[in-house]
Short mmCIF file of all heavy atoms in Angstrom, two decimals:
data_model
loop_
_atom_site.label_atom_id
_atom_site.label_comp_id
_atom_site.label_asym_id
_atom_site.label_seq_id
_atom_site.Cartn_x
_atom_site.Cartn_y
_atom_site.Cartn_z
N HIS A 120 99.91 -31.94 -66.95
CA HIS A 120 98.92 -31.78 -68.07
C HIS A 120 99.59 -31.11 -69.20
O HIS A 120 99.87 -29.96 -69.25
CB HIS A 120 97.77 -30.77 -67.51
CG HIS A 120 96.87 -30.41 -68.67
ND1 HIS A 120 96.08 -29.35 -68.62
CD2 HIS A 120 96.47 -31.13 -69.77
CE1 HIS A 120 95.32 -29.32 -69.70
NE2 HIS A 120 95.47 -30.29 -70.43
N GLY A 124 97.05 -31.30 -78.03
CA GLY A 124 96.07 -32.31 -78.57
C GLY A 124 95.42 -31.84 -79.81
O GLY A 124 95.79 -30.78 -80.32
N SER A 128 90.60 -38.39 -81.82
CA SER A 128 90.93 -39.22 -80.55
C SER A 128 91.11 -40.70 -81.12
O SER A 128 90.93 -41.05 -82.20
CB SER A 128 89.72 -39.20 -79.63
OG SER A 128 88.42 -39.41 -80.27
N HIS A 177 95.14 -23.48 -59.11
CA HIS A 177 95.34 -22.33 -60.12
C HIS A 177 95.28 -22.88 -61.56
O HIS A 177 94.62 -22.36 -62.42
CB HIS A 177 96.62 -21.66 -59.84
CG HIS A 177 96.80 -20.37 -60.69
ND1 HIS A 177 95.89 -19.29 -60.65
CD2 HIS A 177 97.72 -20.15 -61.70
CE1 HIS A 177 96.31 -18.35 -61.42
NE2 HIS A 177 97.39 -18.85 -62.18
N THR A 185 91.00 -20.97 -70.55
CA THR A 185 91.62 -21.12 -71.87
C THR A 185 91.24 -22.35 -72.55
O THR A 185 91.52 -22.55 -73.80
CB THR A 185 93.10 -21.23 -71.54
OG1 THR A 185 93.39 -22.39 -70.81
CG2 THR A 185 93.68 -19.97 -70.97
N SER A 186 90.51 -23.30 -71.94
CA SER A 186 90.14 -24.53 -72.68
C SER A 186 88.81 -25.09 -72.31
O SER A 186 88.08 -25.36 -73.25
CB SER A 186 91.22 -25.63 -72.16
OG SER A 186 90.91 -26.86 -72.83
N THR A 199 73.06 -25.75 -80.79
CA THR A 199 72.04 -24.75 -81.15
C THR A 199 71.80 -24.72 -82.67
O THR A 199 70.73 -24.77 -83.10
CB THR A 199 72.47 -23.40 -80.59
OG1 THR A 199 72.73 -23.56 -79.17
CG2 THR A 199 71.35 -22.44 -80.82
N GLU A 204 65.00 -24.58 -86.89
CA GLU A 204 63.90 -24.88 -87.94
C GLU A 204 64.12 -24.03 -89.12
O GLU A 204 64.16 -24.50 -90.20
CB GLU A 204 62.53 -24.56 -87.34
CG GLU A 204 62.20 -25.31 -85.98
CD GLU A 204 62.73 -24.57 -84.82
OE1 GLU A 204 62.72 -23.31 -84.82
OE2 GLU A 204 63.36 -25.17 -83.96
N GLN A 205 64.35 -22.72 -88.86
CA GLN A 205 64.50 -21.82 -90.01
C GLN A 205 65.70 -21.92 -90.83
O GLN A 205 65.80 -21.51 -91.97
CB GLN A 205 64.35 -20.39 -89.52
CG GLN A 205 63.15 -20.02 -88.82
CD GLN A 205 63.36 -19.03 -87.69
OE1 GLN A 205 64.11 -19.34 -86.83
NE2 GLN A 205 62.90 -17.98 -87.82
N GLU A 210 72.56 -25.98 -94.47
CA GLU A 210 73.02 -24.51 -94.67
C GLU A 210 74.07 -24.15 -93.66
O GLU A 210 75.00 -23.42 -94.02
CB GLU A 210 71.80 -23.53 -94.40
CG GLU A 210 70.85 -23.61 -95.66
CD GLU A 210 69.54 -22.82 -95.46
OE1 GLU A 210 68.96 -22.88 -94.28
OE2 GLU A 210 69.10 -22.07 -96.34
N GLY A 217 82.00 -18.84 -92.36
CA GLY A 217 81.66 -17.52 -91.80
C GLY A 217 82.29 -17.44 -90.41
O GLY A 217 82.19 -16.18 -89.84
N PHE A 219 81.71 -20.09 -88.01
CA PHE A 219 81.08 -21.31 -87.24
C PHE A 219 82.10 -22.48 -87.24
O PHE A 219 82.23 -23.25 -86.26
CB PHE A 219 79.84 -21.56 -87.88
CG PHE A 219 79.02 -22.69 -87.16
CD1 PHE A 219 78.35 -22.49 -86.00
CD2 PHE A 219 79.04 -23.95 -87.91
CE1 PHE A 219 77.74 -23.50 -85.38
CE2 PHE A 219 78.28 -25.01 -87.15
CZ PHE A 219 77.63 -24.74 -86.00
N ARG A 220 82.80 -22.72 -88.30
CA ARG A 220 83.49 -23.99 -88.46
C ARG A 220 84.68 -23.94 -87.45
O ARG A 220 85.12 -25.06 -87.08
CB ARG A 220 84.08 -24.13 -89.89
CG ARG A 220 85.28 -23.26 -90.10
CD ARG A 220 85.92 -23.73 -91.41
NE ARG A 220 86.97 -22.60 -91.80
CZ ARG A 220 87.45 -22.54 -92.96
NH1 ARG A 220 86.97 -23.27 -93.97
NH2 ARG A 220 88.38 -21.57 -93.23
N ASP A 221 85.13 -22.86 -86.99
CA ASP A 221 86.22 -22.90 -85.98
C ASP A 221 85.69 -23.44 -84.63
O ASP A 221 86.38 -24.18 -83.93
CB ASP A 221 86.71 -21.46 -85.71
CG ASP A 221 87.42 -20.92 -86.87
OD1 ASP A 221 86.93 -20.97 -88.04
OD2 ASP A 221 88.54 -20.39 -86.59
N ARG A 224 85.27 -27.54 -84.94
CA ARG A 224 86.43 -28.28 -84.79
C ARG A 224 86.65 -28.57 -83.34
O ARG A 224 86.83 -29.71 -82.98
CB ARG A 224 87.66 -27.49 -85.34
CG ARG A 224 88.92 -28.33 -85.47
CD ARG A 224 90.06 -27.54 -86.06
NE ARG A 224 90.43 -26.41 -85.26
CZ ARG A 224 91.09 -25.42 -85.64
NH1 ARG A 224 91.39 -25.36 -86.94
NH2 ARG A 224 91.34 -24.46 -84.93
N ALA A 226 84.36 -28.59 -81.15
CA ALA A 226 83.06 -29.43 -80.73
C ALA A 226 83.14 -30.85 -81.29
O ALA A 226 82.24 -31.59 -81.14
CB ALA A 226 81.80 -28.71 -81.19
N ALA A 227 84.29 -31.20 -81.88
CA ALA A 227 84.40 -32.54 -82.47
C ALA A 227 85.25 -33.36 -81.48
O ALA A 227 85.58 -34.58 -81.69
CB ALA A 227 84.97 -32.58 -83.89
N LYS A 241 84.08 -28.83 -62.21
CA LYS A 241 82.86 -28.17 -62.11
C LYS A 241 82.92 -26.77 -61.46
O LYS A 241 82.43 -25.79 -62.11
CB LYS A 241 81.95 -29.07 -61.15
CG LYS A 241 80.53 -28.52 -60.85
CD LYS A 241 79.85 -29.54 -59.92
CE LYS A 241 78.64 -29.00 -59.43
NZ LYS A 241 77.90 -29.93 -58.46
N GLU A 246 82.24 -21.00 -62.38
CA GLU A 246 82.62 -19.69 -62.00
C GLU A 246 83.00 -18.85 -63.30
O GLU A 246 82.48 -17.74 -63.55
CB GLU A 246 83.90 -19.75 -61.02
CG GLU A 246 84.31 -18.30 -60.66
CD GLU A 246 85.56 -18.30 -59.82
OE1 GLU A 246 86.06 -19.43 -59.42
OE2 GLU A 246 86.30 -17.25 -59.76
N ASP A 249 79.87 -18.15 -65.46
CA ASP A 249 79.02 -17.16 -64.96
C ASP A 249 79.55 -15.74 -65.42
O ASP A 249 78.85 -14.66 -65.66
CB ASP A 249 78.68 -17.21 -63.59
CG ASP A 249 77.78 -18.40 -63.24
OD1 ASP A 249 77.24 -18.88 -64.21
OD2 ASP A 249 77.84 -18.90 -62.10
N ARG A 250 81.04 -15.61 -65.38
CA ARG A 250 81.60 -14.36 -65.89
C ARG A 250 81.25 -14.09 -67.32
O ARG A 250 80.76 -13.01 -67.72
CB ARG A 250 83.04 -14.48 -65.76
CG ARG A 250 83.66 -14.70 -64.37
CD ARG A 250 83.59 -13.52 -63.59
NE ARG A 250 84.49 -13.56 -62.45
CZ ARG A 250 85.45 -12.77 -62.23
NH1 ARG A 250 85.74 -11.80 -63.04
NH2 ARG A 250 86.24 -12.92 -61.16
N ASP A 254 78.98 -11.09 -69.10
CA ASP A 254 79.52 -10.32 -70.22
C ASP A 254 78.66 -10.34 -71.56
O ASP A 254 78.37 -9.36 -72.18
CB ASP A 254 80.95 -10.63 -70.51
CG ASP A 254 81.99 -10.24 -69.40
OD1 ASP A 254 81.52 -9.42 -68.51
OD2 ASP A 254 83.06 -10.77 -69.45
N ARG A 259 74.39 -8.34 -75.32
CA ARG A 259 73.02 -8.41 -75.76
C ARG A 259 72.35 -7.16 -75.65
O ARG A 259 71.67 -6.64 -76.52
CB ARG A 259 72.38 -9.59 -74.88
CG ARG A 259 70.98 -9.91 -75.57
CD ARG A 259 70.26 -10.87 -74.70
NE ARG A 259 69.06 -11.33 -75.33
CZ ARG A 259 67.91 -10.51 -75.54
NH1 ARG A 259 67.97 -9.23 -75.05
NH2 ARG A 259 66.93 -10.93 -76.10
N THR A 277 89.89 -6.76 -77.94
CA THR A 277 90.20 -8.15 -78.09
C THR A 277 91.34 -8.46 -79.16
O THR A 277 91.97 -9.56 -79.12
CB THR A 277 88.93 -9.04 -78.49
OG1 THR A 277 88.34 -8.31 -79.69
CG2 THR A 277 87.91 -8.90 -77.41
N ARG A 278 91.58 -7.50 -80.01
CA ARG A 278 92.66 -7.71 -80.94
C ARG A 278 93.95 -7.77 -80.37
O ARG A 278 94.87 -8.50 -80.80
CB ARG A 278 92.65 -6.48 -81.99
CG ARG A 278 91.62 -6.48 -83.06
CD ARG A 278 91.95 -5.52 -84.21
NE ARG A 278 91.57 -6.10 -85.50
CZ ARG A 278 91.52 -5.37 -86.57
NH1 ARG A 278 92.00 -4.11 -86.56
NH2 ARG A 278 91.14 -5.94 -87.72
N GLN A 289 102.00 -19.10 -80.52
CA GLN A 289 100.95 -20.09 -80.25
C GLN A 289 99.92 -20.27 -81.37
O GLN A 289 98.99 -21.08 -81.26
CB GLN A 289 100.23 -19.77 -78.87
CG GLN A 289 101.25 -19.95 -77.66
CD GLN A 289 101.54 -21.47 -77.47
OE1 GLN A 289 100.72 -22.39 -77.37
NE2 GLN A 289 102.88 -21.72 -77.45
N PHE A 296 96.30 -19.17 -92.27
CA PHE A 296 96.68 -19.91 -91.01
C PHE A 296 97.50 -21.14 -91.46
O PHE A 296 97.48 -22.16 -90.78
CB PHE A 296 95.35 -20.39 -90.26
CG PHE A 296 94.44 -19.30 -90.17
CD1 PHE A 296 93.13 -19.49 -90.70
CD2 PHE A 296 94.69 -18.03 -89.67
CE1 PHE A 296 92.21 -18.50 -90.79
CE2 PHE A 296 93.82 -17.11 -89.59
CZ PHE A 296 92.50 -17.32 -90.16
N GLY A 297 98.24 -21.02 -92.55
CA GLY A 297 99.01 -22.14 -92.99
C GLY A 297 98.33 -23.16 -93.74
O GLY A 297 98.89 -24.25 -94.18
N ARG A 298 96.96 -22.93 -93.76
CA ARG A 298 96.17 -23.94 -94.62
C ARG A 298 96.45 -23.70 -96.01
O ARG A 298 96.66 -22.67 -96.49
CB ARG A 298 94.71 -23.68 -94.39
CG ARG A 298 94.23 -24.08 -93.01
CD ARG A 298 92.67 -24.17 -93.15
NE ARG A 298 92.11 -24.62 -91.87
CZ ARG A 298 91.53 -23.88 -90.95
NH1 ARG A 298 91.45 -22.50 -91.12
NH2 ARG A 298 91.01 -24.41 -89.87
N ASN A 308 88.76 -18.47 -90.83
CA ASN A 308 87.51 -17.78 -90.51
C ASN A 308 87.23 -16.80 -91.62
O ASN A 308 88.12 -16.20 -92.15
CB ASN A 308 87.63 -17.19 -89.11
CG ASN A 308 87.44 -15.69 -89.02
OD1 ASN A 308 86.76 -15.12 -89.95
ND2 ASN A 308 87.93 -14.97 -88.07
N GLN A 310 84.16 -13.76 -93.32
CA GLN A 310 83.04 -12.88 -92.81
C GLN A 310 82.01 -12.83 -93.97
O GLN A 310 80.98 -12.31 -93.78
CB GLN A 310 83.67 -11.49 -92.60
CG GLN A 310 84.49 -11.60 -91.40
CD GLN A 310 85.78 -10.59 -91.65
OE1 GLN A 310 85.92 -9.94 -92.63
NE2 GLN A 310 86.54 -10.48 -90.60
N HIS B 120 76.91 -11.27 -101.09
CA HIS B 120 77.76 -11.49 -99.87
C HIS B 120 78.76 -12.66 -100.11
O HIS B 120 78.33 -13.83 -99.94
CB HIS B 120 76.99 -11.71 -98.65
CG HIS B 120 77.78 -11.99 -97.43
ND1 HIS B 120 77.31 -12.77 -96.34
CD2 HIS B 120 79.07 -11.70 -97.14
CE1 HIS B 120 78.15 -12.94 -95.48
NE2 HIS B 120 79.35 -12.30 -95.89
N GLY B 124 86.94 -14.28 -96.21
CA GLY B 124 87.66 -13.25 -95.49
C GLY B 124 88.61 -13.95 -94.52
O GLY B 124 88.67 -15.05 -94.47
N SER B 128 92.51 -7.06 -91.87
CA SER B 128 91.75 -5.98 -92.51
C SER B 128 92.63 -5.02 -93.11
O SER B 128 93.92 -4.95 -92.78
CB SER B 128 90.73 -5.40 -91.51
OG SER B 128 91.34 -4.91 -90.37
N HIS B 177 66.24 -14.57 -95.31
CA HIS B 177 66.83 -15.83 -95.03
C HIS B 177 68.33 -15.85 -94.92
O HIS B 177 68.93 -16.42 -93.99
CB HIS B 177 66.43 -16.90 -96.00
CG HIS B 177 66.78 -18.34 -95.64
ND1 HIS B 177 66.23 -18.99 -94.53
CD2 HIS B 177 67.64 -19.30 -96.15
CE1 HIS B 177 66.73 -20.10 -94.40
NE2 HIS B 177 67.54 -20.31 -95.39
N THR B 185 75.87 -18.84 -88.60
CA THR B 185 77.20 -19.29 -89.09
C THR B 185 78.26 -18.37 -88.88
O THR B 185 79.41 -18.75 -89.10
CB THR B 185 77.06 -19.77 -90.59
OG1 THR B 185 76.61 -18.66 -91.31
CG2 THR B 185 75.97 -20.86 -90.75
N SER B 186 77.92 -17.17 -88.67
CA SER B 186 79.00 -16.09 -88.69
C SER B 186 78.76 -15.05 -87.54
O SER B 186 79.71 -14.86 -86.78
CB SER B 186 79.01 -15.41 -90.01
OG SER B 186 80.04 -14.39 -90.02
N THR B 199 86.08 -11.45 -71.57
CA THR B 199 85.86 -11.92 -70.34
C THR B 199 87.31 -12.59 -69.78
O THR B 199 87.72 -12.18 -68.69
CB THR B 199 84.95 -13.23 -70.36
OG1 THR B 199 83.67 -12.75 -70.87
CG2 THR B 199 84.72 -13.75 -68.99
N GLU B 204 90.73 -11.48 -62.64
CA GLU B 204 91.82 -11.06 -61.58
C GLU B 204 92.55 -12.38 -61.34
O GLU B 204 93.87 -12.27 -61.19
CB GLU B 204 91.16 -10.73 -60.38
CG GLU B 204 90.08 -9.55 -60.46
CD GLU B 204 88.74 -10.08 -60.93
OE1 GLU B 204 88.31 -11.19 -60.49
OE2 GLU B 204 88.06 -9.56 -61.91
N GLN B 205 92.00 -13.47 -61.18
CA GLN B 205 92.65 -14.76 -60.74
C GLN B 205 93.46 -15.36 -61.75
O GLN B 205 94.48 -16.03 -61.50
CB GLN B 205 91.63 -15.82 -60.27
CG GLN B 205 90.80 -15.30 -59.06
CD GLN B 205 89.44 -16.03 -59.30
OE1 GLN B 205 88.79 -15.84 -60.26
NE2 GLN B 205 89.15 -16.89 -58.29
N GLU B 210 98.77 -15.55 -68.77
CA GLU B 210 98.47 -16.91 -68.67
C GLU B 210 97.45 -17.29 -69.72
O GLU B 210 97.48 -18.44 -70.39
CB GLU B 210 97.95 -17.26 -67.33
CG GLU B 210 98.94 -17.21 -66.19
CD GLU B 210 98.35 -17.40 -64.80
OE1 GLU B 210 97.36 -16.73 -64.52
OE2 GLU B 210 98.88 -18.24 -64.06
N GLY B 217 94.84 -24.49 -75.67
CA GLY B 217 93.80 -25.35 -75.14
C GLY B 217 92.42 -25.18 -75.68
O GLY B 217 91.45 -25.98 -75.45
N PHE B 219 91.11 -21.82 -76.56
CA PHE B 219 90.84 -20.32 -76.59
C PHE B 219 91.41 -19.62 -77.85
O PHE B 219 90.66 -18.78 -78.29
CB PHE B 219 91.53 -19.80 -75.36
CG PHE B 219 91.31 -18.34 -75.12
CD1 PHE B 219 89.97 -17.89 -74.63
CD2 PHE B 219 92.23 -17.51 -75.30
CE1 PHE B 219 89.78 -16.57 -74.53
CE2 PHE B 219 91.97 -16.01 -75.14
CZ PHE B 219 90.65 -15.65 -74.67
N ARG B 220 92.54 -20.01 -78.26
CA ARG B 220 93.15 -19.26 -79.38
C ARG B 220 92.28 -19.30 -80.69
O ARG B 220 92.29 -18.39 -81.41
CB ARG B 220 94.43 -19.78 -79.70
CG ARG B 220 94.54 -21.05 -80.42
CD ARG B 220 95.94 -21.32 -81.01
NE ARG B 220 95.89 -22.67 -81.62
CZ ARG B 220 97.02 -23.33 -81.81
NH1 ARG B 220 98.20 -22.88 -81.45
NH2 ARG B 220 97.03 -24.57 -82.40
N ASP B 221 91.39 -20.40 -80.78
CA ASP B 221 90.55 -20.34 -82.06
C ASP B 221 89.57 -19.24 -81.94
O ASP B 221 89.11 -18.73 -82.95
CB ASP B 221 89.76 -21.67 -82.06
CG ASP B 221 90.78 -22.92 -82.37
OD1 ASP B 221 91.75 -22.94 -81.65
OD2 ASP B 221 90.39 -23.62 -83.26
N ARG B 224 91.26 -15.68 -82.86
CA ARG B 224 91.38 -15.38 -84.15
C ARG B 224 90.15 -14.64 -84.67
O ARG B 224 90.33 -13.66 -85.34
CB ARG B 224 91.67 -16.67 -84.98
CG ARG B 224 92.19 -16.45 -86.36
CD ARG B 224 92.61 -17.68 -87.06
NE ARG B 224 91.43 -18.57 -87.22
CZ ARG B 224 91.52 -19.87 -87.38
NH1 ARG B 224 92.69 -20.50 -87.35
NH2 ARG B 224 90.46 -20.54 -87.55
N ALA B 226 88.06 -13.10 -82.96
CA ALA B 226 87.92 -11.87 -82.18
C ALA B 226 88.88 -10.83 -82.59
O ALA B 226 88.97 -9.74 -81.91
CB ALA B 226 87.99 -12.15 -80.66
N ALA B 227 89.73 -11.00 -83.63
CA ALA B 227 90.65 -10.00 -84.08
C ALA B 227 90.22 -9.43 -85.33
O ALA B 227 90.84 -8.59 -85.96
CB ALA B 227 91.97 -10.69 -84.29
N GLU B 246 67.70 -13.06 -82.02
CA GLU B 246 66.91 -14.31 -81.98
C GLU B 246 67.82 -15.51 -81.88
O GLU B 246 67.58 -16.36 -80.97
CB GLU B 246 66.13 -14.40 -83.27
CG GLU B 246 65.30 -15.67 -83.47
CD GLU B 246 64.61 -15.83 -84.78
OE1 GLU B 246 64.60 -14.90 -85.57
OE2 GLU B 246 64.23 -17.01 -85.10
N ASP B 249 69.48 -15.73 -78.35
CA ASP B 249 68.61 -16.23 -77.23
C ASP B 249 68.41 -17.83 -77.30
O ASP B 249 68.30 -18.36 -76.27
CB ASP B 249 67.12 -15.56 -77.32
CG ASP B 249 67.23 -14.01 -76.94
OD1 ASP B 249 68.31 -13.68 -76.23
OD2 ASP B 249 66.43 -13.29 -77.21
N ARG B 250 68.46 -18.29 -78.59
CA ARG B 250 68.46 -19.85 -78.61
C ARG B 250 69.71 -20.33 -77.93
O ARG B 250 69.68 -21.29 -77.18
CB ARG B 250 68.57 -20.15 -80.10
CG ARG B 250 67.41 -19.77 -80.88
CD ARG B 250 66.08 -20.53 -80.64
NE ARG B 250 65.28 -20.47 -81.73
CZ ARG B 250 64.72 -21.46 -82.48
NH1 ARG B 250 65.28 -22.64 -82.30
NH2 ARG B 250 63.81 -21.21 -83.36
N ASP B 254 70.22 -22.78 -74.60
CA ASP B 254 70.93 -23.99 -74.51
C ASP B 254 72.15 -24.07 -73.60
O ASP B 254 72.43 -25.04 -73.00
CB ASP B 254 71.46 -24.31 -76.02
CG ASP B 254 70.28 -24.60 -76.98
OD1 ASP B 254 69.21 -24.90 -76.50
OD2 ASP B 254 70.61 -24.56 -78.21
N ARG B 259 74.67 -25.50 -68.35
CA ARG B 259 75.12 -25.07 -67.02
C ARG B 259 74.38 -25.87 -65.98
O ARG B 259 75.07 -26.27 -65.03
CB ARG B 259 74.74 -23.50 -66.88
CG ARG B 259 75.38 -22.94 -65.63
CD ARG B 259 74.79 -21.47 -65.39
NE ARG B 259 75.52 -20.95 -64.23
CZ ARG B 259 75.26 -21.27 -63.04
NH1 ARG B 259 74.42 -22.23 -62.76
NH2 ARG B 259 75.86 -20.74 -61.97
N LYS B 263 76.10 -28.34 -63.19
CA LYS B 263 75.73 -28.14 -61.79
C LYS B 263 75.17 -29.43 -61.15
O LYS B 263 75.54 -29.81 -60.08
CB LYS B 263 74.79 -27.08 -61.68
CG LYS B 263 74.99 -26.02 -60.54
CD LYS B 263 74.14 -24.74 -60.58
CE LYS B 263 74.01 -24.28 -59.15
NZ LYS B 263 73.13 -23.19 -59.05
N THR B 277 77.41 -33.27 -81.88
CA THR B 277 78.15 -32.20 -82.47
C THR B 277 79.32 -32.63 -83.34
O THR B 277 79.62 -32.01 -84.31
CB THR B 277 78.74 -31.14 -81.39
OG1 THR B 277 79.51 -31.88 -80.43
CG2 THR B 277 77.68 -30.46 -80.74
N ARG B 278 79.71 -33.96 -83.14
CA ARG B 278 80.79 -34.38 -83.98
C ARG B 278 80.26 -34.60 -85.46
O ARG B 278 81.09 -34.42 -86.42
CB ARG B 278 81.24 -35.81 -83.50
CG ARG B 278 82.27 -35.64 -82.40
CD ARG B 278 82.91 -37.11 -82.21
NE ARG B 278 84.32 -36.95 -81.59
CZ ARG B 278 85.10 -37.85 -81.26
NH1 ARG B 278 84.69 -39.19 -81.34
NH2 ARG B 278 86.34 -37.61 -80.85
N GLN B 289 85.09 -27.61 -96.52
CA GLN B 289 85.03 -26.33 -95.93
C GLN B 289 86.14 -26.11 -94.85
O GLN B 289 86.23 -25.17 -94.15
CB GLN B 289 83.59 -25.88 -95.42
CG GLN B 289 82.59 -25.63 -96.51
CD GLN B 289 82.92 -24.50 -97.42
OE1 GLN B 289 83.22 -23.36 -96.86
NE2 GLN B 289 83.11 -24.63 -98.66
N ASP B 290 86.70 -27.33 -94.44
CA ASP B 290 87.86 -27.20 -93.57
C ASP B 290 88.88 -28.33 -93.79
O ASP B 290 88.48 -29.30 -94.54
CB ASP B 290 87.44 -27.15 -92.12
CG ASP B 290 88.44 -26.46 -91.21
OD1 ASP B 290 89.44 -25.99 -91.66
OD2 ASP B 290 88.17 -26.22 -90.02
N PHE B 296 95.52 -29.35 -89.18
CA PHE B 296 94.90 -28.40 -89.99
C PHE B 296 95.66 -27.86 -91.01
O PHE B 296 95.40 -26.64 -91.47
CB PHE B 296 94.10 -27.33 -89.11
CG PHE B 296 93.56 -27.83 -87.86
CD1 PHE B 296 94.09 -27.44 -86.66
CD2 PHE B 296 92.70 -28.83 -87.83
CE1 PHE B 296 93.68 -28.00 -85.42
CE2 PHE B 296 92.13 -29.42 -86.63
CZ PHE B 296 92.65 -28.98 -85.46
N GLY B 297 96.73 -28.56 -91.44
CA GLY B 297 97.60 -28.04 -92.49
C GLY B 297 98.57 -27.06 -91.96
O GLY B 297 99.43 -26.57 -92.68
N ASN B 308 93.59 -26.79 -82.19
CA ASN B 308 92.98 -26.73 -80.88
C ASN B 308 93.65 -28.01 -79.99
O ASN B 308 93.95 -29.00 -80.59
CB ASN B 308 91.52 -26.85 -80.96
CG ASN B 308 90.73 -28.04 -80.22
OD1 ASN B 308 91.35 -28.41 -79.23
ND2 ASN B 308 89.74 -28.52 -80.76
N GLN B 310 93.91 -29.90 -75.95
CA GLN B 310 93.23 -30.14 -74.72
C GLN B 310 94.22 -30.14 -73.52
O GLN B 310 93.68 -30.08 -72.46
CB GLN B 310 92.55 -31.50 -74.77
CG GLN B 310 91.43 -31.42 -75.82
CD GLN B 310 91.31 -32.72 -76.56
OE1 GLN B 310 92.05 -33.71 -76.39
NE2 GLN B 310 90.33 -32.79 -77.57
#
Side-chain angles (χ1 to χ4, degrees):
Chain A
H120 177 207
S128 53
H177 187 64
T185 57
S186 180
T199 303
E204 309 78 41
Q205 301 144 295
E210 287 174 315
F219 183 74
R220 74 169 173 199
D221 292 47
R224 193 173 62 201
K241 180 180 166 179
E246 180 187 343
D249 290 344
R250 300 284 198 120
D254 293 345
R259 190 188 184 289
T277 53
R278 278 193 146 173
Q289 291 293 308
F296 319 116
R298 287 195 175 105
N308 123 20
Q310 296 145 353
Chain B
H120 177 207
S128 52
H177 187 64
T185 56
S186 180
T199 303
E204 308 78 40
Q205 301 146 297
E210 287 174 315
F219 183 73
R220 76 168 173 200
D221 293 46
R224 195 174 60 202
E246 179 187 344
D249 289 344
R250 301 283 199 120
D254 292 345
R259 190 187 183 289
K263 224 173 156 185
T277 52
R278 275 193 151 176
Q289 290 294 309
D290 205 359
F296 319 115
N308 128 25
Q310 294 143 357

